[in-house]
Amino acid sequence: MAVTLTINGQSIQATSGRSLFDHAEALGIDVPTSCRKQGKCRECMVEVVEGMHALSAIAEPERHLKGNFRLSCQACVTATEGQVRCHTMRRGHMRIEQRAFGLPIGNRDFTLDPAVARDGDRILIDGVEVERSNGPILGLAMDLGTTTVVLRLVDLETGQLIADTSFENPQRFGGSEVMSRIAYDTEHPGRLLMRTLAGYLTHAIERFPVDPKTIYEMVVVGNSTMRDLFFRQSVYSIGQNPYRSITEIEMAEGKRVTTSLSQTGQQSLLPIHPKARVYGVPIISGHVGADAAACMLAVDLAHEERLVAVMDIGTNTELIVGNKHRILAASCPAGPAFEGGAIACGMPALDGAIEEVAIAGDGSFRLRVIGDVPPEGICGSGLIDVLSELLRTGRMNDLGRFADDIERITLSDDKDKEVFLLESDVNELAQAKGANVAGLRAVFSTYGIDFDDTGVFYLAGGFGRHLNVEASKRIGLVPSIASSKIVQAGNTAIEGATIALLSKSKRQELEDLVKRVEHCRLETHPDFFEFFVEGCQFKPLEPISCAS
Ligand code: FES
């Protein structure tokens, strides 16, 4: 008898008393570390998805980890038989959108005028010398998401992309959504979330094919909590009604003129030039953060005459509606269901995830699986498809009840793994959809417009990029407007961060624009609950005039 240990999909017969880290090394798996298994750097984290009981007790250096996370240098296999499955924080395997698509031509119509400039061998930031060198002048844009982190390295003199990368946010050990991260940061002194992230960022930056010391400026976008954690601000107030960032409070008190943040490379704990500037894009208000602000720059909202809607569906959905004359923004806590969270067979968009589903004439399921491997679970785009197909074929009604009183529908039944959908999963998805729809209805009604009035409707973010628009319309996640108006724009936040990195004037434009945005507080909208209840039903989201 032995324990079969599977790390990142590779299996080995485990040796009792040996650490997960040692086994990973034997498999040739690269585990992040800066302390050589001393239990000090906290970087060698793994998420254990099966067999936690087969491992040694939690050691002192791991006490900060919540949920199924362990430090691989501390956790040893102790059982004599069974299965352990775990993975390091994922890098490069996740289908993370690193690009944006279908944006207005105008958003690229700017002169390259970065804050970092060269004068002979002098390198200057806003006219102040920071280095003498004839080497390259590089900049780094970062979209710091709750779940994923995207980095884009550019040459500040040419605007050319040099490299990009993405990885799972290691701060997940402090909870999967912002409220738990806020609680974690408040309860655990020592900035553990930031320090762990800094370790991962350092490895990512050092893997770029450049000298990190030639990075002279970095632009950071992210939701209010992620951004403020990165800049080591207290995030406590973002978790308390009325949910405001410390920068927003200070601005209201007249202590600062912008919610943007700035620190040096040295203060950031990253291996970039110590005198580099790290600029945190201003947040809009409350949970409507710097990622939403960057989005506005990417879609060129400051110059847009048409009515534009931007919807970035996620655990926290961001909504922006408006044009150059008036802009409204809201943040909507929809929960992780459409990202596979809280769903029995849900998973992120990784190899093995069912991403497309169709029901054939004979009632069988036709599946498309990421990576062309046997299905292990279902990701957000697959969930939308399956709901839409069950509705279309009458196997589910618009209240989310399965026909024939069944509670479980099997999508695939491979030898080792059954992938299925429960009626209770549909209930979770209904509530997530209800929150998204309520947000949309509240923002549109506050603005005084109808869905049909929008000239363009951007679906931003990785999820919005990959969902099937017609299926989304059928279940009522996306309004029933002409498909020609819907643009699946991809990662507009990293695009906006890059524009702010390459152009001082665009950055100023963004600073000014953010101050003009009206924050629509969904929790105080009088019809929010009514909109939510209606939105929980799986039926097309008609224009407001038709729905009322
Ligand atoms: S390798 Fe540094 S804590 Fe495990």
Side-chain angles (χ1 to χ4, degrees), residues 502-516:
L502 294 174
S503 165
K504 283 196 308 257
S505 51
K506 281 285 177 185
R507 195 181 305 184
Q508 188 55 50
E509 179 182 299
L510 179 58
E511 288 271 358
D512 298 337
L513 194 60
V514 160
K515 289 175 185 153
R516 293 204 285 115

Side-chain angles (χ1 to χ4, degrees), residues 113-118 122-130 216-217 262 275 277 279 501 503-505 507-508:
D113 65 333
V116 189
R118 188 194 300 281
R122 301 166 68 220
I123 294 175
L124 316 164
I125 300 181
D126 284 341
V128 177
E129 182 180 313
V130 292
Y216 293 98
E217 187 158 51
S262 186
K275 292 184 182 166
R277 175 168 50 200
Y279 169 77
L501 182 62
S503 165
K504 283 196 308 257
S505 51
R507 195 181 305 184
Q508 188 55 50

Side-chain angles (χ1 to χ4, degrees), residues 223-241:
N223 63 52
S224 307
T225 306
M226 291 300 105
R227 188 205 68 156
D228 285 8
L229 280 172
F230 179 78
F231 283 89
R232 285 180 278 177
Q233 301 286 312
S234 164
V235 290
Y236 177 77
S237 58
I238 310 179
Q240 309 293 316
N241 197 351

Side-chain angles (χ1 to χ4, degrees), residues 21 32-44 71-74:
F21 198 129
T33 172
S34 302
C35 77
R36 298 213 211 128
K37 310 186 214 171
Q38 298 300 304
K40 291 182 180 155
C41 71
R42 302 188 178 93
E43 291 169 12
C44 63
L71 289 184
S72 61
C73 71
Q74 302 295 308

Side-chain angles (χ1 to χ4, degrees), residues 55-322:
L55 302 175
S56 54
I58 308 282
E60 192 54 39
E62 309 175 88
R63 297 244 174 260
H64 66 292
L65 298 175
K66 285 173 67 174
N68 288 338
F69 290 91
R70 297 293 306 264
L71 289 184
S72 61
C73 71
Q74 302 295 308
C76 296
V77 177
T78 49
T80 49
E81 59 181 318
Q83 287 268 353
V84 176
R85 281 194 305 131
C86 64
H87 60 82
T88 55
M89 294 301 94
R90 297 160 181 125
R91 174 160 47 90
H93 298 292
M94 294 185 81
R95 195 176 60 180
I96 299 169
E97 274 313 315
Q98 297 180 338
R99 294 177 52 211
F101 305 83
L103 298 178
I105 301 296
N107 85 330
R108 277 281 173 193
D109 189 16
F110 60 86
T111 317
L112 199 62
D113 65 333
V116 189
R118 188 194 300 281
D119 177 14
D121 69 346
R122 301 166 68 220
I123 294 175
L124 316 164
I125 300 181
D126 284 341
V128 177
E129 182 180 313
V130 292
E131 186 60 277
R132 284 191 172 244
S133 163
N134 291 313
I137 300 181
L138 307 180
L140 191 60
M142 172 162 77
D143 174 21
L144 179 49
T146 316
T147 313
T148 54
V149 181
V150 178
L151 292 173
R152 192 185 267 185
L153 182 70
V154 293
D155 184 322
L156 292 178
E157 293 179 289
T158 63
Q160 292 300 309
L161 172 73
I162 294 175
D164 54 15
T165 189
S166 57
F167 57 91
E168 207 170 3
N169 188 334
Q171 297 175 328
R172 286 180 53 235
F173 72 80
S176 61
E177 33 71 46
V178 294
M179 284 306 197
S180 9
R181 301 264 174 95
I182 292 169
Y184 184 94
D185 191 63
T186 308
E187 288 160 16
H188 296 76
R191 305 276 188 254
L192 290 173
L193 292 172
M194 167 50 192
R195 281 168 37 202
T196 305
L197 175 66
Y200 276 71
L201 282 171
T202 296
H203 293 304
I205 291 169
E206 287 174 345
R207 272 194 295 269
F208 283 138
V210 300
D211 174 1
K213 296 283 183 275
T214 58
I215 299 173
Y216 293 98
E217 187 158 51
M218 179 169 176
V219 169
V220 179
V221 305
N223 63 52
S224 307
T225 306
M226 291 300 105
R227 188 205 68 156
D228 285 8
L229 280 172
F230 179 78
F231 283 89
R232 285 180 278 177
Q233 301 286 312
S234 164
V235 290
Y236 177 77
S237 58
I238 310 179
Q240 309 293 316
N241 197 351
Y243 313 110
R244 292 159 105 198
S245 152
I246 192 82
T247 56
E248 206 182 341
I249 295 170
E250 289 176 359
M251 197 164 141
E253 291 171 348
K255 293 180 183 161
R256 53 165 60 238
V257 292
T258 168
T259 56
S260 62
L261 288 164
S262 186
Q263 64 184 18
T264 63
Q266 190 163 25
Q267 290 166 328
S268 72
L269 310 179
L270 303 181
I272 60 178
H273 194 282
K275 292 184 182 166
R277 175 168 50 200
V278 182
Y279 169 77
V281 165
I283 60 163
I284 295 177
S285 180
H287 288 288
V288 192
D291 46 358
C295 233
M296 295 197 304
L297 198 58
V299 303
D300 200 28
L301 211 47
H303 303 103
E304 188 59 87
E305 279 290 352
R306 298 174 298 178
L307 266 171
V308 168
V310 184
M311 184 180 189
D312 188 345
I313 302 170
T315 306
N316 227 49
T317 294
E318 262 91 44
L319 298 163
I320 302 167
V321 172

Side-chain angles (χ1 to χ4, degrees), residues 434-487:
N436 279 305
V437 168
L440 268 178
R441 285 245 188 258
V443 173
F444 273 76
S445 74
T446 305
Y447 204 102
I449 53 168
D450 216 332
F451 296 138
D452 274 347
D453 296 326
T454 46
V456 55
F457 194 104
Y458 292 106
L459 288 170
F463 181 58
R465 173 77 188 149
H466 293 283
L467 55 73
N468 177 319
V469 170
E470 296 314 315
S472 305
K473 283 192 198 173
R474 179 178 284 125
I475 67 167
L477 179 63
V478 167
S480 292
I481 57 173
S483 294
S484 57
K485 289 185 176 181
I486 297 177
V487 176

